[in-house]
């Protein structure tokens, strides 16, 4: 018969070990980030960009990391990758004012730069899709609780009438805004060309004929994937074709 | 006729019909590729449609738009046609391009070669005859304007394109303005109140574009071109309808002279800034030890070219070492072009000498293009008390300092348009799609609605049920029967005969009304054989009920009964009521 105290102590040790491991990882990440920053500050932009890539190799990233990757890539002469990182940072942290300044700095070398991070629906991008979704969900639950409460008690109905109307209006507004944000994400380009003269092919095969080619940093709409290929649409002419996954970057749907 | 259908239904007949149909559609046309213009004669400002037809060549991808001198060509889309001619079937894919010539004369669309399945197909060149353009002034006109025709290198100013129109176009794109020697910035679209021109009311749309002059000389801005699409009632087809026509409005160009700020009287602190600015400086902390970092915040507000605005270097022997910082720009609320606003710099200075340090920095000199003079602005001098340190240089800290703290910047302040790297990594997270793509979110979103619908439906159902007269009558009767039954036992025990039989009468009449659907109080023992037997009341309970009716009748005339007899009657009554309850609903 095992005593419960012993097993509890075992859990405590595991928790302490996990905490130490997490702190160690955090320190390693911060150290790596500072080292990469130092390389970039010394003018070693390609080395700095590679060091940032190592931090993001696990598929995890942060707005600051994407921003610095964009800066290093841009200064290393890779405007397409820089643009993709900057737009990713914008999707992760849409209210960061420094992103717009960086976009203006990069704009002359980016085909879509003139309209970047601006436009009539810029305000709808002040929040991420998740933030709009949370607002819509919260308002819906508040309305639901108040409305159901009003149904259950005639006294509450009178007291809650105003609150139900206000929360119902908020539900309508936030749901509309969420729909607008979704529509905007769907309508706007979400794919960036990473290399100059990237061939967009008529079918997802290496030997397929080139339908058209795109400049580095150009923005496209992704319309599906098949293996290592992405079906893209050129927003102006609405021509479609297939691009290799490594030659374009598809931004997160956020 | 009947025989014919019988023949068709036989196997031989069906085979003959199938063979006949195959003969009809058996022939296939030869593959071909043709180019055609519709119409082949237009006026300047209109557009013709170039149709590239691929017959029996499968799904051919649209070729790139052909290059036609002095004309713009845009892809419009594709369609597919199937046809059977002389028993020969064919499938044609047609790709359409809109060709809009800009000059009068002829425009030749060159031969186009496409490769399909390793074989090349070439179309014939086609010629588009372009006549003189129509007079668009009856529809609208375009006007290009600038605030001044003499501007300065580095000056950012608005260029305005106004579209005055009497007929609203169905579609319009932002205008294009050709210019050399200028950098284009942000643009903004708004509407102005209608204006009366030559006795006609014109609606006005205005595009404003921020433009920066980059080199001295005489330059031309424009002409501006605005492409619109108008819809007209068609007179071509029998059934009428509408057709679209693309009209291009063109403005007159503007001549601008770009000057350099004069060399005469130019202060040494002038670094190319053009505009009107005010400077505000603050520092914290102001009481430090040698080597401690001091954060200096500089706010430059005003109107002008903020892109070309940078902090000057620290004066030599200032007693401070500077480290790179950040800058940010906040535009004025009422200025969508970003010509006015506030640019903020945050720089870290590290004092190298002890004592009361006074610093007059930064000094910003700009050229005012309106008043045509140099203006020098500086904030209030910074006074920082620096105590002697224990030795050793401290490293700067703060949210805006690059991690490479050991290497001070070669120059003070950020490079124009340059940004410092972020130093706070933040939490690394796996970037996933939005929660809105998850079905669980929409389930959670719909739950309050569902709960509301369920509760509201339940309440409504209860209310309707309560308001139904038949249901209400049933409820009342049930209540009365229950109360009467409860009273039977009490009255039996206490020997109160009149009350007992009154309660018995109420219970039986109420339960019979529930079973038979009539009014309580109207039933006699005749219903036992007449209605209850047919509904399935067993003979034993029928006999009990009959005896209860008799007892009630006797009690009216001889109410004296012993408690024991009353208890027996009460037990009988309960059994009869139970039996009658089982008959509720039975026909």
């Amino acid at each position: 018969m095992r005593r419960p105290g012993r097993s509890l102590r075992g859990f405590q040790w595991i928790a302490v070990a996990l905490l130490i491991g997490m702190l160690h990882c955090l320190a390693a990440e911060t150290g790596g980030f500072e080292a990469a920053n130092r390389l970039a500050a010394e003018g070693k932009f390609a080395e700095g960009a590679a060091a940032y890539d190592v931090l993001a190799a696990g598929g995890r990233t942060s707005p600051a990391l994407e921003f610095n990757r964009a800066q290093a890539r841009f200064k290393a002469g890779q405007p397409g990758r820089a643009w993709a990182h900057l737009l990713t940072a914008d999707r992760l942290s849409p209210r960061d004012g420094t992103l717009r300044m960086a976009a203006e700095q990069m704009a002359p070398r980016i085909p879509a730069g003139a309209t970047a991070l601006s436009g009539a629906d810029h305000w709808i991008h002040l929040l991420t899709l998740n933030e709009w979704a949370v607002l819509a969900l919260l308002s819906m639950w508040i309305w639901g609780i108040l409305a159901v409460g009003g149904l259950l008690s005639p006294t509450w109905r009178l007291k809650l009438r105003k609150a139900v109307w206000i929360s119902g209006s908020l539900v309508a507004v936030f749901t509309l805004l969420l729909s607008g944000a979704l529509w905007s994400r769907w309508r706007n380009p979400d794919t960036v060309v990473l290399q100059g003269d990237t061939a967009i092919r008529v079918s997802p095969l290496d030997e397929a004929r080139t339908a058209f080619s795109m400049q580095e940093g150009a923005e496209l709409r992704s319309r599906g994937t098949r293996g290592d290929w992405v079906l893209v649409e050129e927003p102006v002419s609405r021509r479609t074709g297939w691009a290799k996954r490594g030659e374009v970057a598809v931004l997160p749907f956020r | 006729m009947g025989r014919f259908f019988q023949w068709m239904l036989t196997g031989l007949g069906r085979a003959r019909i199938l063979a006949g149909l195959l003969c009809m559609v058996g022939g296939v046309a030869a593959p071909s590729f043709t180019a055609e213009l519709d119409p082949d004669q237009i006026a300047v400002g209109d557009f013709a449609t170039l149709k590239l037809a691929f017959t029996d060549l499968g799904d051919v991808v649209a070729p790139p738009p052909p290059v036609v001198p002095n004309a713009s060509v845009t892809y419009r889309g594709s369609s597919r046609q199937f046809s059977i001619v002389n028993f020969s079937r064919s499938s044609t894919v047609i790709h359409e391009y809109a060709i809009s010539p800009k000059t009068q004369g002829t425009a030749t669309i060159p031969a186009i070669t496409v490769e399909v399945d390793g074989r090349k197909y070439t179309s014939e060149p086609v010629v588009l005859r372009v006549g003189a353009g129509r007079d668009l002034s009856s529809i609208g006109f375009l006007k290009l304007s600038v605030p001044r025709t003499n501007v300065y290198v580095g000056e950012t100013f608005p260029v305005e394109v106004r579209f005055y129109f009497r007929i609203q176009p169905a579609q319009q794109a932002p205008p294009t303005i050709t210019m050399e020697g200028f950098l284009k910035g942000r643009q903004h679209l708004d509407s102005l109140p209608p204006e009366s021109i030559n006795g006609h009311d014109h609606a006005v749309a205005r595009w404003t574009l921020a433009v920066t002059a980059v080199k001295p000389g005489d330059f031309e801005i424009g002409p501006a071109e605005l492409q619109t699409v108008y819809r007209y009632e068609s007179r071509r087809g029998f059934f009428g309808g509408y057709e679209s026509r693309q009209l291009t409005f063109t403005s007159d160009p503007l001549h601008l002279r770009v000057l350099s700020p004069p060399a005469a009287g130019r202060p040494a602190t002038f670094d190319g800034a053009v505009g009107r600015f005010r400077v505000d400086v603050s520092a914290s902390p102001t009481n430090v030890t040698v080597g401690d970092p001091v954060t200096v915040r500089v706010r430059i507000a005003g109107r002008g070219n903020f892109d070309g605005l940078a902090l000057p270097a620290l004066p030599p022997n200032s007693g401070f070492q500077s480290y790179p910082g950040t800058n940010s720009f906040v535009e004025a609320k009422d200025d969508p072009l970003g010509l006015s606003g506030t640019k903020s710099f945050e720089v870290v200075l590290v004092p190298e000498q002890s004592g009361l340090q006074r610093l007059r920095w930064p000094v910003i000199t700009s050229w005012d293009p309106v008043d045509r003079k140099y203006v020098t602005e500086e904030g209030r001098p910074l006074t920082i008390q620096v105590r002697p340190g224990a030795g050793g240089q401290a490293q700067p800290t703060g949210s805006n300092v690059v991690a490479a703290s050991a290497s001070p910047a070669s120059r003070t302040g950020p490079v124009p348009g340059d940004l410092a790297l972020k130093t706070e990594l933040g939490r690394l997270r796996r970037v996933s799609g939005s929660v809105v793509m998850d079905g669980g979110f929409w389930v959670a979103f719909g739950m309050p609605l569902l709960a509301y619908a369920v509760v509201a439906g339940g309440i409504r159902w209860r209310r309707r049920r309560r308001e139904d007269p038949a249901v209400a009558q049933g409820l009342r009767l049930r209540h009365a029967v229950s109360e009467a039954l409860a009273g039977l036992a009490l009255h039996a025990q206490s020997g109160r005969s009149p009350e007992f039989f009154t309660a018995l009468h109420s219970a039986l009449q109420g339960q019979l009304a529930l079973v038979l659907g009539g009014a309580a109080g109207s039933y006699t023992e005749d219903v036992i054989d007449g209605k209850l037997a047919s509904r399935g009341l067993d003979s034993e309970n029928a006999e009990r009920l009959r005896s209860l009716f008799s007892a009630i009748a006797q009690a009216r005339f001889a109410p004296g009964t012993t408690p024991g007899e009353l208890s027996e009657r009460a037990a009988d009554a309960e059994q009869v009521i139970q039996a009658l309850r089982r008959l509720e609903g039975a026909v």
Side-chain angles (χ1 to χ4, degrees), chain B residues 480-498:
Chain B
V481 170
S482 299
E483 279 199 336
L485 278 178
L488 280 182
L490 289 173
H491 298 318
Q493 278 176 5
S494 56
R496 290 198 294 264
S497 178

Side-chain angles (χ1 to χ4, degrees), chain B residues 15 59 73 128 147 176 195 265 297 315 323 355 371 381 387 438 501 515 538 563 571:
Chain B
D59 290 330
V73 185
L128 177 65
T176 56
E195 288 183 28
R297 293 179 180 84
Y323 288 83
D371 292 344
R387 300 184 302 274
D438 190 353
F501 283 105
V515 173
D538 58 290

Side-chain angles (χ1 to χ4, degrees), chain B residues 409-425:
Chain B
S410 55
R411 53 173 291 185
T412 305
V415 178
D418 204 351
L419 291 169
L421 298 167
K422 289 185 186 289
T423 55
E424 298 293 331
L425 175 60

